[in-house]
Structures are given as C-alpha cells and as structure tokens.
Amino acid sequence: MIDFYPSYFEKFKCIADKCPDSCCKGWDVVVDDKSAEIYRSIGGFGEKITASMTIDNDGDCVFVNKNGRCPFWGKNGLCEIYIKLGEKYLCKTCRQFPRLEQQYDRFTEHLLSFACPEAARLMLDSENAYDNFVCASDSELIEKSSNFIRLLLIARSTTVSFLKDKKLDFFDRLKLCLGYNKAVQAFIDKETDAVEFKPESVLISPSERHSCNAVFRLHRELEIMSEEWKTVLEKAEKTDFANPSPILSDMLERLGLYYIYRYYLTSLDSRNVLITIKRLVCACIVLSRALNVWEKSPAELFCLYSKEVEHSYENSEAMELEFLTSPDFSADTLVECLDTQFGQKSSYK
Ligand code: SF4
C-alpha cells in the first residue's frame, strides 16, 4: 500500500481558540465505539461525557448539541475534553478532523477538508499541492491496477491537466472538464468504443444559452443550516456575472483539484465520473459570485460552502439526484451556463 499526501498536509495545525469558526459549531460529533467505551469506563469527568452522549436517527452515538454547539466547546474556544483529559481522549472524529483518508486497492490518498477554515486557507495558498499524487505516468502502479481503475486514473490525470491549463480562462477549463468527462462517461456506459473528445466541441460558443438560475435554485432548495449562508446565497444570485480574476482563478483551480482528488475515484462505485465535475462546476459558479458580496476571507467562504453543501449527506444526495435526472444539469447545459455567465470569446488556441 502506498500513501500519497498533498504538500500542505503536514503543515496543518488546529488553531483552536484562534479559529474563526470551529468544527464544534453546527455539527453533531459522532463518537466511535472505542471512545464511547473509554468514556463510560473512566468515571469522574467521563461520567459528564457519557451523560452528553445519545443515539441519533442514523443509529450513531453523538454528543448532544447545545444551542448548535458541542457541549464541550468552551467559551474560550477550547475543548473541555482536551483540557481535562488530554488529546488522546478525543474521539476519532475530533482527532482526525479535518484529515481525510481515501483507501483504494493499492494506494491511499490523504487530504484535508475545506470544512475547516485553517485547512481551507492552507489549501487555497498551496501551489502544485498534488504533484506527487498517483497519476497516469505512474506506470507501475497503473499497470498493476484493474482495467477500470486504470481508466479512471488516466481520465483523472487528463481532467487535472485541463483544470491546470493556465493558457485558458478558468471557465473554459471547466468546459473542457465537462466535455472530456462526458466522453469518458459515454465510454464507461459502452455508448462508444473509445473516449472521443474534441476540445473545439465545448470551446466554440454554443448556439443555445442558459442562465445559471437552475444552479442557484438548486442551492436554495438544499437544506440551509445557517442564516449567514442563506443571506450570502440570496445576495450572490443578484450580483452581476464577472470573469474570474487571475487570483480568483487560482483559488478556484485549487478548489477544483481538491474536488477531483477527493471525489473522482468515487466513480469506482457509482460508475459516474460526471457527478464530480458537475459538483465542481456548481461550486465554482456559486462561489465566484458569492465572493462579490463576502466581507471575510475567501477561505472562510469556501469553508462555509463546504459545511453547508459538500459535507451534508442529505444535500449531497439531493444534488446527485438532480445531476442524474434534470436536463438543467446535463453536461451540455452546464457548458452553456458557463458560456452565458462569462460570455466572451474563447481563449483556446
Ligand atoms: S475548524 Fe479546524 S482550526 Fe477550527 S477548531 Fe476545528 S480543526 Fe481547529
């Protein structure tokens, strides 16, 4: 088993009381069986912890939220369990967050989550963070893998190269990702004998045009957890379309790489590569406009989006259903949305 880490991974350190948000806010902390057993056995402060645990509707053991906060999140922003018992007594969720681990057949990829503002800041600041990840040129690993994962690894590398092609405007890069993955999907679905993709097919302005109303409508219909997000979303929808500046393009590219490395290989199970690209396109459309009305740091906005949309199981399910069934979210329609939003001549040569 080979482990891959992005360059920012080792730099992460929880900033605790300096955190502008907190992973203890708004979420139920799921307590793993081993930690629950330890809390029940230690007496003293362990009894207070045990009294704060309950079983939720999904059958998970969780800490009972108090006013939307973990009961052990102190007013000083510090964790009472950490202070009284030490780090090794934190449950697995708290010990690991925001670290993510994705295990595949022959390798494991490690990432951080955008749902932590400090991790989001590090990720938005890091260039070429995934250059050492498994890619199509890792011939040994690719050759030893099954045919399907080999196809996905090659397609993922190609998608990454489209996303990082700085010769193009960022939204042209997204159009290439959509068009290319539509071709990959047709091959997976056995509609074609090879991945057949011509970049011109998405970069020439389409005859049909679509507004991004459906993208915002979908986000409005998701479960919204905070007033802050509701307000930002409403304001963002009313802002003018604008071309992403080079700085915004870099941020969106880094978000895009995170989405690709986090989700692309989930198509091993779903056999659908387009879902990841559609999630990314929707995130970029909403975030690029939300930044126009956002007054805090970009990392905090990307974090808020991650908590509200990406990390909610129900919201992710609702989005996937829409992506699979609604013509508003076909690859072609999304290409047309990007063209409308940034309606300008393609810079593709
Ligand atoms: S969200 Fe991140 S920085 Fe903030 S308390 Fe949690 S782990 Fe620490």
Side-chain angles (χ1 to χ4, degrees):
M1 187 68 83
I2 308 172
D3 288 278
F4 295 98
Y5 295 87
S7 61
Y8 54 71
F9 194 88
E10 283 303 318
K11 294 181 197 155
F12 174 74
K13 199 167 183 328
C14 171
I15 52 174
D17 57 328
K18 312 264 178 336
C19 179
D21 189 26
S22 174
C23 36
C24 314
K25 192 170 96 187
W27 281 355
D28 289 330
V29 174
V30 175
V31 183
D32 58 291
D33 292 347
K34 195 169 163 206
S35 301
E37 207 179 298
I38 292 171
Y39 296 147
R40 286 189 195 103
S41 68
I42 55 177
F45 185 59
E47 285 170 22
K48 181 177 170 188
I49 303 177
T50 307
S52 299
M53 297 191 305
T54 188
I55 304 296
D56 72 4
N57 293 339
D58 299 325
D60 291 323
C61 178
V62 295
F63 289 138
V64 181
N65 242 304
K66 265 195 199 160
N67 304 323
R69 300 161 63 106
C70 172
F72 301 104
W73 186 30
K75 286 205 174 69
N76 51 6
L78 297 174
C79 169
E80 206 183 345
I81 298 178
Y82 189 105
I83 294 169
K84 295 216 164 112
L85 300 174
E87 189 178 3
K88 70 177 184 170
Y89 280 88
L90 294 177
C91 66
K92 202 171 163 194
T93 309
C94 298
R95 263 195 325 269
Q96 289 191 333
F97 185 83
R99 298 167 192 86
L100 304 166
E101 191 180 287
Q102 331 233 88
Q103 288 188 348
Y104 304 105
D105 195 13
R106 296 181 174 275
F107 59 95
T108 302
E109 291 181 332
H110 300 262
L111 297 167
L112 296 180
S113 165
F114 262 94
C116 158
E118 176 60 6
R121 187 192 65 75
L122 270 178
M123 287 191 272
L124 292 180
D125 281 353
S126 302
E127 214 183 332
N128 302 323
Y130 307 89
D131 276 6
N132 62 350
F133 265 45
V134 60
C135 66
S137 56
D138 283 320
S139 47
E140 200 186 326
L141 193 62
I142 290 215
E143 271 158 31
K144 283 184 184 158
S145 299
S146 69
N147 282 347
F148 190 46
I149 191 159
R150 201 179 314 157
L151 166 73
L152 292 180
L153 287 171
I154 292 169
R156 186 174 80 166
S157 288
T158 307
T159 304
V160 164
S161 63
F162 283 137
L163 200 63
K164 291 176 76 175
D165 186 352
K166 292 195 193 301
K167 292 195 298 303
L168 300 175
D169 290 327
F170 185 74
F171 286 91
D172 275 349
R173 299 186 225 164
L174 285 184
K175 287 189 207 169
L176 288 172
C177 293
L178 279 164
Y180 171 70
N181 280 284
K182 184 184 167 196
V184 174
Q185 193 59 48
F187 178 65
I188 292 172
D189 295 340
K190 298 194 173 29
E191 290 165 10
T192 51
D193 296 332
V195 177
E196 294 161 0
F197 173 59
K198 291 199 175 98
E200 313 83 80
S201 63
V202 290
L203 292 176
I204 292 169
S205 278
S207 49
E208 290 282 318
R209 298 204 141 191
H210 274 273
S211 74
C212 297
N213 293 353
V215 175
F216 279 92
R217 190 257 309 146
L218 172 60
H219 282 76
R220 268 189 274 109
E221 287 173 2
L222 296 175
E223 186 193 350
I224 292 183
M225 286 165 264
S226 69
E227 273 305 309
E228 186 175 38
W229 177 239
K230 191 165 174 247
T231 310
V232 172
L233 197 54
E234 278 168 6
K235 287 187 184 167
E237 193 170 358
K238 292 181 191 137
T239 61
D240 289 335
F241 300 142
N243 235 328
S245 65
I247 292 173
L248 175 56
S249 296
D250 280 351
M251 286 193 283
L252 294 176
E253 178 187 315
R254 287 162 197 177
L255 177 79
L257 292 171
Y258 161 83
Y259 267 78
I260 303 292
Y261 284 106
R262 172 131 197 230
Y263 294 110
Y264 199 85
L265 296 186
T266 58
S267 44
L268 275 168
D269 292 326
S270 69
R271 297 190 75 82
N272 191 309
V273 289
L274 271 169
I275 288 174
T276 299
I277 311 299
K278 291 177 182 180
R279 285 176 79 122
L280 167 61
V281 169
C282 288
C284 289
I285 287 174
V286 171
L287 286 170
S288 62
R289 288 171 65 180
L291 270 172
N292 293 334
V293 298
W294 182 253
E295 285 168 2
K296 301 183 201 167
S297 70
E300 286 170 80
L301 175 65
F302 283 53
C303 171
L304 180 62
Y305 185 88
S306 175
K307 285 179 96 164
E308 290 276 347
V309 179
E310 186 201 344
H311 275 267
S312 157
Y313 179 74
E314 287 78 13
N315 286 347
S316 289
E317 289 265 291
M319 284 184 107
E320 283 191 16
L321 186 65
E322 195 94 7
F323 294 160
L324 291 171
T325 56
S326 167
D328 285 338
F329 292 92
S330 72
D332 292 343
T333 305
L334 287 174
V335 166
E336 288 160 14
C337 283
L338 290 168
D339 198 72
T340 303
Q341 182 155 2
F342 303 98
Q344 55 174 21
K345 282 206 152 180
S346 159
S347 51
Y348 186 72
K349 302 255 185 315

